Amino acid sequence: RARAKAWLERKGAVLRFDARVEPLDDTPNDAAFRPSTYRVGGEIREADACFWCIGGKPRAHFLRSFLALDARGFVAIDPATRQSVSKPAVYAVGDVAAKSDAQRLASYAHLEGEFVAAAIADRVKRGEPAARAKTYEPPPRMVLVSYGPRDGSFIYDSLEVSRFVFPGLFVPWLKAVIEKWFIRLLPMPYAVLRLLPGDAAARAWSKAPKPPPRAHPRTAAVEVEAAAAAAAPHSSGSSSTRAVAA
């Protein structure tokens, strides 16, 4: 963030953090390209355009009667398989899926789509769901930020690699190659990327919670017998009471 801030300021950009932006006329909030006057914090400023870049909302409300959604309106999924928790035959990938915000990048959507496509193809080939479905493992979070055509930052998880071993000069070129790759929807080496070491920040929701271990029927039967025996009244002439659960 500090490098990006310094680069923008060298280019003449004025940055205001934690400042509320309010139009002072009748300009609607969605009129991005209309010149207007705005209050930015405590200052009045003229602007040729105003862009609202404060995150997105999922447009999945029309699925509410069909699929389970989380509290924020995203499709609730099993993070290990990307399947809907309410309808396993339905998969959700990309920004519509409930997942860690650290995974809301085009690269993750691309990888999730490839994983789901392979899972569906395997299901069609077998004619039924696999007995042991493959688990989706998000690769480490990698972000390329270009500062013009000759500088940039390469961030691997929370580490800015370009400050140590990856010169920022290569970042814009690498970003251009990757963008062309994505535009053409070419496959990514998911099998390799998922094995890379990294911070757990982007993988926080990748592991589905393990269900509690099921008691063996024989063990359950013994436990119920013991409980029933303890609860039964004891008398010299009465027969013992036993309960068995399978």
Side-chain angles (χ1 to χ4, degrees):
R1 175 173 173 173
R3 286 192 66 193
K5 179 176 179 293
W7 185 87
L8 288 169
E9 288 177 339
R10 286 198 302 270
K11 299 296 181 180
V14 178
L15 305 180
R16 295 285 184 269
F17 297 102
D18 301 320
R20 184 179 180 85
V21 178
E22 300 174 296
L24 296 183
D25 52 22
D26 296 330
T27 303
N29 289 346
D30 57 353
F33 299 102
R34 185 181 303 174
S36 184
T37 305
Y38 296 87
R39 185 191 305 278
V40 183
E43 302 178 19
I44 306 299
R45 286 187 169 273
E46 297 288 335
D48 295 324
C50 181
F51 303 92
W52 302 99
C53 305
I54 53 175
K57 295 181 180 179
R59 296 191 175 184
H61 57 277
F62 65 96
L63 296 173
R64 190 174 296 278
S65 61
F66 177 64
L67 298 175
L69 306 182
D70 72 355
R72 298 169 64 190
F74 295 96
V75 177
I77 62 171
D78 178 344
T81 63
R82 324 312 287 181
Q83 292 171 283
S84 164
V85 296
S86 59
K87 292 187 180 296
V90 177
Y91 295 79
V93 302
D95 288 347
V96 75
K99 58 181 180 179
S100 168
D101 288 338
Q103 297 176 25
R104 299 198 181 280
L105 296 174
S107 56
Y108 282 113
H110 194 125
L111 290 165
E112 293 165 13
E114 289 187 13
F115 174 85
V116 167
I120 294 174
D122 185 59
R123 182 169 183 170
V124 171
K125 182 178 178 181
R126 293 173 181 267
E128 59 183 9
R132 189 179 182 84
K134 294 181 179 179
T135 300
Y136 174 74
E137 294 279 357
R141 178 184 168 97
M142 290 178 275
V143 179
L144 295 167
V145 181
S146 58
Y147 310 135
R150 296 183 180 84
D151 194 12
S153 293
F154 174 31
I155 303 168
Y156 184 97
D157 275 334
S158 56
L159 178 66
E160 187 179 346
V161 180
S162 51
R163 296 185 62 182
F164 304 101
V165 297
F166 194 89
L169 176 65
F170 297 138
V171 170
W173 295 93
L174 180 57
K175 185 173 182 179
V177 171
I178 292 176
E179 287 178 348
K180 290 183 181 298
W181 188 282
F182 280 151
I183 289 172
R184 289 168 175 75
L185 296 179
L186 298 174
M188 292 182 67
Y190 170 70
V192 176
L193 294 176
R194 69 194 293 265
L195 300 177
L196 294 176
D199 183 342
R203 309 182 187 206
W205 290 12
S206 66
K207 303 288 187 182
K210 294 182 178 180
R214 293 183 60 187
H216 191 278
R218 190 181 183 93
T219 303
V222 173
E223 290 176 351
V224 173
E225 285 186 30
H234 294 283
S235 63
S236 57
S238 63
S239 60
S240 62
T241 302
R242 301 182 66 192
V244 179

